[in-house]
Amino acid sequence: FAVFKNGGAATMLGERRVTGATIQVDQDTIRNGTPKLVMKNTVIRTSAGNGLLTFTSTVRAENCRIVECAGECVALIEGGDYQLDYCTIGTYGSTYVAHSESVSMAVLNYYAVSQTEYYAAPLRARINNCIVYGSAENEAIFDYKPDYPADVEVNNCLLRIKDGLPSFVTGTGNILNQDPLFKEREKDDYHLQPGSPAIGKGRVIPGVTRDLDGYLRSSVAPSIGCYEFTE
């Protein structure tokens, strides 16, 4: 139940200078089964850089809204282990945030340091019941280098991705390139309008019974994104 806004100062990863981020999660060197970051019912918005930026880490995010970032709203880089459930992610651009170079979400098992050099690590990602949308034709990138495995599942998500999900990404129940019909996005209102394709199209996730507002999720057919549709 935290709100982070207007962040995104430049950050460092060891000796590597990286794009600014409101939250950066560095490498998880312990890997004891406990995520390095657990983020629930949290909002990140209007970041000058990335919203959430990770490197070979472990993160669980639930009922989060990460929107309007100058960099990627969510950048899961250089492998790691991630689970995102019921998140709304996206940038449309505004007077204060340009949206011309970065997508809303990037999921990669590598971090490129030049055109020929990169760091890579195994990647595992489970992305369920999330909206990834914005004003560009492609708002999500999934990519990997074959040096290390990439185990990525995307289930019951609504994504704007022009050419569809790549073949190494598995999953079912996804909706591609259909406007989620947010109520008043320009006024920071990402609730769903009647008729949204995200209504009732999620899968039940055990243990997640309420949305970002605290409303009960449908026990049969929940809505996709951080907000359950309510009349």
Side-chain angles (χ1 to χ4, degrees):
F1 296 99
V3 176
F4 298 85
K5 59 181 180 179
N6 305 331
T11 54
M12 298 291 292
L13 179 64
E15 296 181 353
R16 288 186 280 166
R17 186 174 182 82
V18 297
T19 304
T22 295
I23 296 178
Q24 176 176 320
V25 191
D26 293 346
Q27 182 178 13
D28 185 349
T29 57
I30 299 174
R31 291 296 184 97
N32 61 358
T34 300
K36 192 164 186 178
L37 172 66
V38 177
M39 187 166 64
K40 297 182 179 182
N41 308 299
T42 292
V43 174
I44 300 173
R45 62 182 177 89
T46 54
S47 175
N50 297 107
L52 172 66
L53 174 64
T54 74
F55 293 90
T56 326
S57 201
T58 51
V59 173
R60 300 292 179 270
E62 173 188 304
N63 282 336
C64 292
R65 177 161 60 88
I66 307 175
V67 296
E68 296 305 320
C69 300
E72 286 84 12
C73 294
V74 174
L76 311 178
I77 305 297
E78 202 180 333
D81 191 323
Y82 308 102
Q83 182 160 335
L84 277 60
D85 296 325
Y86 290 115
C87 293
T88 296
I89 298 163
T91 297
Y92 288 79
S94 67
T95 303
Y96 306 103
V97 175
H99 186 49
S100 57
E101 297 182 2
S102 300
V103 297
S104 291
M105 183 174 71
V107 181
L108 313 172
N109 76 342
Y110 63 91
Y111 170 66
V113 294
S114 72
Q115 291 185 345
T116 57
E117 297 177 287
Y118 59 85
Y119 301 97
L123 168 67
R124 180 183 183 276
R126 298 292 182 265
I127 302 170
N128 304 301
N129 295 358
C130 292
I131 295 174
V132 183
Y133 218 80
S135 57
E137 288 186 331
N138 283 301
E139 290 292 354
I141 291 177
F142 301 88
D143 196 16
Y144 78 107
K145 301 293 185 183
D147 317 38
Y148 290 90
D151 177 11
V152 180
E153 281 189 17
V154 179
N155 297 296
N156 297 80
C157 290
L158 191 162
L159 307 102
R160 189 165 192 182
I161 183 166
K162 181 182 178 182
D163 297 322
L165 292 166
S167 59
F168 77 92
V169 176
T170 62
T172 60
N174 296 302
I175 302 169
L176 304 183
N177 306 313
Q178 293 187 38
D179 192 327
L181 298 180
F182 297 124
K183 276 191 175 179
E184 290 188 278
R185 176 189 53 76
E186 298 83 356
K187 297 181 179 179
D188 199 41
D189 186 348
Y190 289 80
H191 292 83
L192 302 174
Q193 296 182 44
S196 167
I199 296 172
K201 296 300 176 60
R203 59 170 52 191
V204 174
I205 298 176
V208 187
T209 58
R210 295 184 181 273
D211 74 353
L212 180 57
D213 285 334
Y215 289 110
L216 281 171
R217 293 278 184 186
S218 169
S219 60
V220 179
S223 297
I224 300 172
C226 63
Y227 297 114
E228 185 70 15
F229 175 73
T230 57
E231 296 287 353

